[in-house]
Amino acid sequence: MKQEKRARSLWKNKSVQSLVASLLCILMGLLIGYVVLLIINPAGAWEAITTIVKNFLTYPSRPAQLKYLGNTLVKTAPLLMCSLSILFAYKVGLFNIGAAGQYVVGAGASLYCALALNMPWYVCLVAAIVAGALLGCISGVLKAYCNVNEVISCIMLNWISLYAVNMLLTQVKETASPYTMTLASTNKSAILPNAGLDQFFTKNQYVTIAIPLAILVAILVWVVLEKTRLGYELKATGYNRFAAKYCGMKEKNNIILTMAIAGGLAGMGAALFFLTGFEQWQCTQSSVPAMGFNGIAAAFLGGLNPIAAIFSSYFIQHITNGGAYVDKTMYSAQIADLISALIIYLCGFVLFIKNFMDAHAAKKEERTKTPAAGDAGKGGDQ
C-alpha cells in the first residue's frame, strides 16, 4: 500500500509530470520526423535522424566536437532568454508573443551603441535590456489601461520593431553588403568577454560570459517568481486581476511591470547573441527572427519552469544545429527545419499531457477511495 501511495504521489508531482510530458513530446517529434524521412528516402532515414540527434558528435575528433558544442551553446543563451521572457509573462497570465519584437529592438539597441556610438559591451547590454523593456511596457500599458489584448499589440509591434531596426542599422552597415559592420573590425570593446571560457571549447572565440549570464538570469527568475513577495503579487494578478485589486494590489502596475521584465529579458537575449560577434544583422531581412518564437516552444517544453528551460532551450538548439549535418545529397536543406519544426510544434502539447496525467491520477485516486468507503459502511451496519 505504501508503495502504491508513493507511486501515486510521484505521478502527481508537477516536476515528474513535466519531465514525462516533455520526453513524450520529444520522442513523438523524432518518431514523426523519422517517418517523414522514410517517405522521402528510406535508404538514409535512420542515418539522417541519428545525425540530427548527434549534432556536434558527428565529428570524429574531440577538439572539433568541443568547438561545435560551443557554437550550439552560443545560440542556446539567447533562446533561453526568450523562453524566460515568455514563461515569466505566462506565469502572470499574459502571453508575450512579442518576445520576437523585443529581441529585435534589443539587437538594434546593442548594435547601434556598439557600432555607431563605440560603447563598451556592458553599456550595449544595458541598452538592449532597456529597449526590450520599453517595448514590453507599450503592450503592458495598452493591456492595463485600454484592455487591448497583449497578443494583438505584440504581433503589431513585432513588425514595427523589425522595420524600425532595419532602418536604424542601415547607418552602420557595410557598404557592399546588407549586413552590419563586424564588431571585431569596428569596436572590439563591445564584444562580450570570454573570461577564459573559450579555452574549454577549443579556443572558440564566440564562447563568452553570455552562457553563464543566461543561466544566472534563469535562476534569478525562478527565485523572483517562487520565493519573493513581488512574484506572489505578479502571479496573483495573473490569476485574477480584479481579486488582486480588491486585495490592495496595484494590478495595472503589475501588468506593466510584468511586460517590462519580459521585454527586458528578450532584449538581453539579443545582446547576449549579437555582442559575441557570431552573426551580423541583415538590414534587408523581411521576417522576424525565429529566436523569439522558438522561445515559446522552449518555455512549454520546460514545463514553464525557469530551471527546466535551461535544458529545453539547449535541446531545441541542439536539434536545430544538428540538422545542418544531414546528407544534402539525399535530403533537401529544409528537411532539418522540418524535423525541428515538428518537435517544436509538439512542445505545445506538454501542458495538455500534464493535464491528462492530472486527470488520470485523480480518477485512479477516486477508484481506490470508493471501495474503502463501501467497506466502512458495511462495518457500521454490522
Side-chain angles (χ1 to χ4, degrees), residues 139-310:
S139 295
V141 169
L142 290 172
K143 173 73 174 181
Y145 289 97
C146 305
N147 202 28
V148 175
N149 189 290
E150 71 276 8
V151 173
I152 296 171
S153 63
C154 283
I155 290 172
M156 299 303 172
L157 286 170
N158 284 347
W159 295 102
I160 294 170
S161 303
L162 175 66
Y163 294 118
V165 167
N166 279 349
M167 287 189 291
L168 176 68
L169 295 183
T170 51
Q171 299 177 40
V172 291
K173 80 176 189 68
E174 295 174 339
T175 307
S177 80
Y179 294 94
T180 53
M181 293 180 284
T182 62
L183 294 175
S185 63
T186 309
N187 180 15
K188 287 186 178 180
S189 68
I191 299 174
L192 290 166
N194 53 48
L197 292 173
D198 58 327
Q199 300 299 320
F200 295 100
F201 299 92
T202 320
K203 296 182 179 180
N204 187 331
Q205 62 179 330
Y206 303 116
V207 178
T208 65
I209 60 169
I211 299 160
L213 269 179
I215 293 171
L216 285 173
V217 171
I219 296 169
L220 181 62
V221 167
W222 179 81
V223 170
V224 169
L225 285 173
E226 303 298 332
K227 303 295 179 181
T228 66
R229 179 181 174 181
L230 173 64
Y232 175 81
E233 285 196 10
L234 293 178
K235 288 190 288 185
T237 303
Y239 287 133
N240 192 322
R241 60 185 292 193
F242 301 109
K245 182 180 179 181
Y246 179 78
C247 293
M249 299 177 190
K250 298 177 180 179
E251 87 289 356
K252 291 182 179 178
N253 289 352
N254 286 343
I255 290 171
I256 297 168
L257 179 61
T258 298
M259 289 304 295
I261 292 172
L265 290 169
M268 182 179 177
L272 291 181
F273 181 61
F274 285 99
L275 294 182
T276 62
F278 191 85
E279 277 186 18
Q280 300 158 264
W281 182 269
Q282 185 181 350
C283 299
T284 57
Q285 61 181 310
S286 57
S287 59
V288 181
M291 195 70 75
F293 297 114
N294 289 350
I296 299 173
F300 282 96
L301 184 62
L304 296 172
N305 183 291
I307 307 302
I310 298 170

Side-chain angles (χ1 to χ4, degrees), residues 293-344:
F293 297 114
N294 289 350
I296 299 173
F300 282 96
L301 184 62
L304 296 172
N305 183 291
I307 307 302
I310 298 170
F311 302 100
S312 62
S313 298
Y314 172 77
F315 174 77
I316 288 176
Q317 198 56 58
H318 180 93
I319 292 294
T320 305
N321 278 25
Y325 304 112
V326 174
D327 188 353
K328 300 300 185 295
T329 61
M330 288 190 172
Y331 303 99
S332 67
Q334 287 75 28
I335 194 66
D337 294 330
L338 175 62
I339 304 297
S340 302
L342 284 168
I343 294 170
I344 289 169

